[in-house]
Amino acid sequence: MRKSLAIITPSIGVRSETFIRRHMESLLPGNTVTLASTNRPPNAGYWNTNNPTCLLDNFPPNPLELIRSSMGKVSGKRVCNKFILHRNYIIKSFLKKHRVNVLMGEYLDYTHAFIAPAKELGIPLWGHAHGYDISQKISEKYWQQRYLEYNQTEGIIAVNEITRRRLIKLGIKPEKIHIIPCGVNIPEHCPQHKNYKDNVRCLAVGRMVRKKAPIQLLSAFKYALRDNPKMHLDYIGTGHLIDEVKDFINHYQLSGHVTLHGGMPNAQVHEFMMASDIFIQHSVVDPITGDEEGLPVAILEAMAHGLPVISTRHAGIPDAVVHNQTGFLVDEGDVYGMGCCILDLVNDIDKRLGMGVESWQRAKNFFSWQYERREILKLFSLHDIS
């Protein structure tokens, strides 16, 4: 009997969500459908999927029905109920049409709305926790109460132990939580990088948002640059802090040493990784919202390309980066320490190349896409048709 998997996601085509794209395209190819709210710019639409897709924003409730519903003393509640009923009808119709056997939802807050229709149809649902949903949202009482409803689902996939502990503390049954790190494609052999210390190229990849701390990353690079001016930083990414980043670069006259490339397709990012020598990322807890990383895929991809990684002791990053073995870890906000680590690898060629090999080996052993795919399909009882 043909089995079908549905991937639920807020948006299709977000540049940074290569892990979601991989789930859509490669988890169960030919037998996957997708449900999302939108695939439209400016935040989405940078890539697409060939899967049969239901875009929920294309099916708004009938405007006349909403007007009729609003003509009462509890109009807000009635409008909300009409919307939910209509949305659930669309969801269930799509799932029945494609004979979906398993649902996996990206981000716990977004996926919560699918628990009820999945339960009505008797389809197993798994939530996949990532970053903001398990840091920022889990601190809000509204979501704390709703996350407990995951005890009624098949379970939750977490990418690291920190996420698992938070969910258990919240009240999710331990047996409902399964740790499966995100996986990336690993080259068969460790990529070779140049063995000299002049013109060393550092690489940063990530959205320019507070939890990625781009100004602190640039400050660390600036510290290292004072002692070794023969360095360059390629920064791939964009976001609402881009103007602050440009002002910082101009103020400290770093334009000759830092190139901002904006957002790029994943294939081009990989080309930069092949041409770089060191990967740096200064992740922190967002001081305003409390948003955190899960386990950044960009770090795993850098490791797969044989790059030593310099990052922070933040969220799931220490699960991947082993201090003094595959790179260096510093405390959040320690820009001077990160600068010293950059300088250490720039000046010590053998250490840089050796850590790069260790980085590739660790990615191959623990963070391959093959491992993630095998474990997820086994969890979903779909491994017999993969």
Side-chain angles (χ1 to χ4, degrees), residues 58-79:
N58 291 344
F59 298 97
N62 186 311
L64 292 177
E65 289 295 327
L66 288 183
I67 291 171
R68 292 191 189 103
S69 328
S70 66
M71 295 178 178
K73 294 181 180 179
V74 286
S75 59
K77 185 176 180 180
R78 288 182 179 177
V79 170

Side-chain angles (χ1 to χ4, degrees), residues 274-287:
M274 289 297 295
S276 300
D277 304 291
I278 301 167
F279 187 86
I280 56 178
Q281 181 163 327
H282 198 105
S283 296
V284 302
V285 176
D286 186 319

Side-chain angles (χ1 to χ4, degrees), residues 91-123:
I91 292 169
K92 289 188 290 185
S93 297
F94 181 79
L95 295 176
K96 286 191 286 188
K97 175 183 176 181
H98 293 282
R99 300 180 181 179
V100 169
N101 303 97
V102 182
L103 284 161
M104 182 174 81
E106 314 280 1
Y107 303 107
L108 300 185
D109 59 327
Y110 184 77
T111 302
H112 174 267
F114 294 80
I115 294 177
K119 190 174 181 180
E120 289 174 25
L121 293 177
I123 301 175

